[in-house]
Amino acid sequence: MTYDFDLFVIGGGSGGVRCARMAASHGAKVAVAEEGAWGGTCVNVGCVPKKLMVMASEYGNAVIDSHGFGWDTQPGRHDWSKLIAAKDAEILRLNGIYKRLMANCTTFEARAKLTGPHSVEVAGQTITAKHIVIAVGGRPTAPDFQGAEHAIISDDAFHMPTLPSHVVIAGSGYIAVEFAGMFRGLGAQVELVYRAHAPLRGFDEEIRTSLAEALEAQGIIQHPGRTITKVEPTATGKRVTLDNGEVIETGLVFSALGRTPYTNALGLAEAGVKTGPDGAILVDETSATSVPSIYAIGDVTNRINLTPVAIAEGHSLADRLFGPGPRIWRLDAVASAVFSSPPIATVGLTEEQAAARGITDIYVEKFTPMRHTLSKRTRKTLMKLIVDQATQKILGAHMLGEDSPEIIQGLSIAINAGATKQDFDRTVGIHPTAAEEFVTMRTRARVAGAPT
Ligand code: NDP
């Protein structure tokens, strides 16, 4: 049996582009289809523009903080449209880079649909391939409250013509807390409505409660234990009703209630590809679906929904199919960051997971960072290590505080390499930094799960 291509990748985001590029570098004949902009969610409406906008939001506070250091400058007026234009120009540049990465592949700027185990329909043609990889990602989950059409989702937030002076955000996951800090830093009043007792379900509990304190210190009004039941347009904006009857008048309602695998009209059922109850494509550890010639990587599989994981899955799959064998990444302790203000970064077990496994030793430092001893800003840094009392291995590290993503990225190498508490203890710190606290924690704060 001959095919038009060795590999057809549906989706030109982080995972799909890496998979296609590596397969082509191994000599495979590759085609890629992307219906939107090259680079997918991360580049266009996710990680990259988000981080640029978070950076923008930090300058106002930096000016205020500088007063404690003797400066008398005042924050100027922020021009939202100038930020969006600058961000768009950078994203356009990145789109071009992603497109050029596909130089050794045939590209289709159109939606592709499976028509069989070895065939897709794209741009009015039927194309065959020995292997097909689905890398179409996810889309923001539509809210189900009354008047949901009056709320925006994260895709829209990157293209708003102006930033309203008051914003209500639904949810308290990554996207909700990142945009809350960003909008607040750019001068908006922000209210966060979430159903849990603290933001960021699944994170270490002490990090969650410390983030709630940090949001409050930033002036973000939180409505824990609440959901939105109704949004109505008014002459001046939107009226939001919560499940306790409370009414909030606002300029913008932003729904950040999770993301859903983007599998609609992809021809999965026709091709025999099985999905789970959440719509995610079911795959094994090699990213193989229920159809032997079809694979799925990235957010459409709803495993670990992070760009670097999608890239690892795509790269590993290309190496497995066309190269020397799969490149191995450790996916049991993947570090991640939330670009809240201040940011959070984490790797490995939370204290709650440790307690459930009988792992006891918890080391904690919570302190005012050096910068804020002079700026007088109310802001605490929290650093935490989870240590296995039997082996003394570090099984988790968590930080809420400035530069935490940069610090935890380094620590995650040590943790993946199996470093022990004694390895940390004999490491000489860099002074004066916050990071040195991770190598100077000498006294166990408590047994995992004991009251803080
Ligand atoms: P998350 O899954 O992180 O959070 C979803 C939020 O929506 C939670 O607060 C959840 O509440 C709430 N929620 C869900 N359904 C309902 C409902 N019916 N009623 C009320 N509340 C509801 O999703 P995000 O949209 O924030 O982000 C999507 C994914 O994108 C993340 O999981 C992450 O993988 C990725 N991402 C990663 C980033 C990073 O690495 N920095 C940045 C942005 C996104 P509850 O907690 O109570 O369930």
Side-chain angles (χ1 to χ4, degrees):
M1 180 78 191
T2 56
Y3 301 100
D4 299 327
F5 291 96
D6 299 315
L7 175 69
F8 195 103
V9 179
I10 307 180
S14 305
V17 166
R18 175 62 70 92
C19 185
R21 189 161 69 87
M22 294 317 297
S25 76
H26 293 314
K29 191 179 175 197
V30 181
V32 194
E34 168 56 56
E35 65 174 330
W38 293 98
T41 298
C42 173
V43 169
N44 295 285
V45 285
C47 327
V48 175
K50 175 274 307 288
K51 189 152 182 199
L52 291 172
M53 290 161 74
V54 167
M55 285 171 172
S57 73
E58 288 168 344
Y59 286 98
N61 280 342
V63 171
I64 294 166
D65 289 350
S66 74
H67 296 168
F69 293 80
W71 293 93
D72 66 354
T73 42
Q74 297 303 316
R77 194 185 65 82
H78 181 258
D79 186 336
W80 172 265
S81 59
K82 198 168 173 184
L83 168 64
I84 297 298
K87 179 267 294 177
D88 286 347
E90 172 58 8
I91 301 306
L92 200 62
R93 189 182 74 83
L94 295 175
N95 294 148
I97 289 174
Y98 267 75
K99 183 76 195 292
R100 285 197 291 282
L101 287 175
M102 303 285 86
N104 296 328
C105 306
T106 300
T107 54
F108 294 91
E109 300 200 330
R111 184 169 175 75
K113 180 179 185 296
L114 294 171
T115 51
H118 292 284
S119 62
V120 298
E121 192 183 287
V122 61
Q125 313 168 49
T126 295
I127 290 177
T128 60
K130 184 172 184 200
H131 304 286
I132 297 171
V133 172
I134 304 170
V136 295
R139 292 289 181 277
T141 307
D144 61 1
F145 45 73
Q146 198 184 322
E149 67 276 17
H150 304 300
I152 67 159
I153 54 172
S154 54
D155 290 3
D156 307 315
F158 292 107
H159 303 290
M160 294 189 299
T162 55
L163 175 62
S165 59
H166 189 283
V167 183
V168 172
I169 301 180
S172 62
Y174 283 79
I175 294 176
V177 300
E178 289 180 342
F179 274 91
M182 176 211 301
F183 289 156
R184 182 74 192 115
L186 291 173
Q189 296 294 321
V190 178
E191 303 201 30
L192 203 54
V193 179
Y194 54 89
R195 62 187 179 183
H197 69 280
L200 290 181
R201 179 169 54 82
F203 281 67
D204 183 275
E205 194 61 32
E206 201 173 5
I207 291 280
R208 298 178 71 189
T209 49
S210 298
L211 174 64
E213 290 165 15
L215 294 173
E216 189 180 339
Q218 247 190 306
I220 293 170
I221 297 170
Q222 296 170 78
H223 300 269
R226 299 268 73 95
T227 54
I228 292 176
T229 54
K230 188 164 61 174
V231 177
E232 301 160 280
T234 64
T236 52
K238 313 275 183 279
R239 178 174 299 126
V240 179
T241 307
L242 306 188
D243 58 351
N244 62 346
E246 190 178 340
V247 170
I248 308 168
E249 301 289 342
T250 187
L252 180 74
V253 183
F254 181 136
S255 169
L257 300 180
R259 293 177 62 87
T260 308
Y262 182 47
T263 51
N264 316 352
L266 205 56
L268 296 178
E270 295 86 329
V273 176
K274 291 201 177 116
T275 54
D278 57 355
I281 296 178
L282 297 173
V283 286
D284 66 13
E285 65 285 355
T286 67
S287 297
T289 71
S290 51
V291 177
S293 55
I294 302 179
Y295 299 82
I297 56 171
D299 288 9
V300 75
T301 63
N302 198 18
R303 290 177 283 180
I304 303 175
N305 298 334
L306 297 170
T307 293
V309 174
I311 290 172
E313 290 166 358
H315 190 132
S316 187
L317 179 59
D319 283 1
R320 183 190 304 276
L321 295 177
F322 305 106
R327 181 172 159 181
I328 305 300
W329 270 268
R330 261 196 73 179
L331 295 179
D332 57 330
V334 175
S336 76
V338 185
F339 293 93
S340 47
S341 310
I344 290 168
T346 174
V347 59
L349 297 184
T350 64
E351 181 172 346
E352 293 68 43
Q353 290 168 332
R357 294 181 196 189
I359 291 160
T360 58
D361 293 0
I362 306 298
Y363 293 79
V364 181
E365 292 291 346
K366 193 167 186 175
F367 56 93
T368 299
M370 193 178 189
R371 178 182 302 280
H372 300 306
T373 57
L374 262 66
S375 79
K376 305 299 178 198
R377 178 175 295 281
T378 307
R379 185 169 273 201
K380 293 279 186 198
T381 288
L382 173 70
M383 298 168 76
K384 184 164 182 174
L385 288 177
I386 314 288
V387 181
D388 183 339
Q389 69 281 10
T391 63
Q392 287 297 297
K393 280 197 173 168
I394 312 272
L395 298 183
H398 308 271
M399 181 171 174
L400 165 82
E402 282 146 22
D403 302 321
S404 58
E406 308 292 342
I407 294 168
I408 292 287
Q409 176 67 88
L411 280 198
S412 69
I413 302 170
I415 291 172
N416 271 304
T420 63
K421 183 70 172 63
Q422 285 67 41
D423 292 324
F424 275 44
D425 290 346
R426 63 168 165 256
T427 300
V428 177
I430 301 174
H431 188 70
T433 63
E436 70 180 315
E437 296 295 328
F438 272 125
V439 294
T440 55
M441 293 179 184
R442 292 287 178 264
T443 313
R444 185 176 78 174
R446 60 180 174 270
V447 167
T452 54

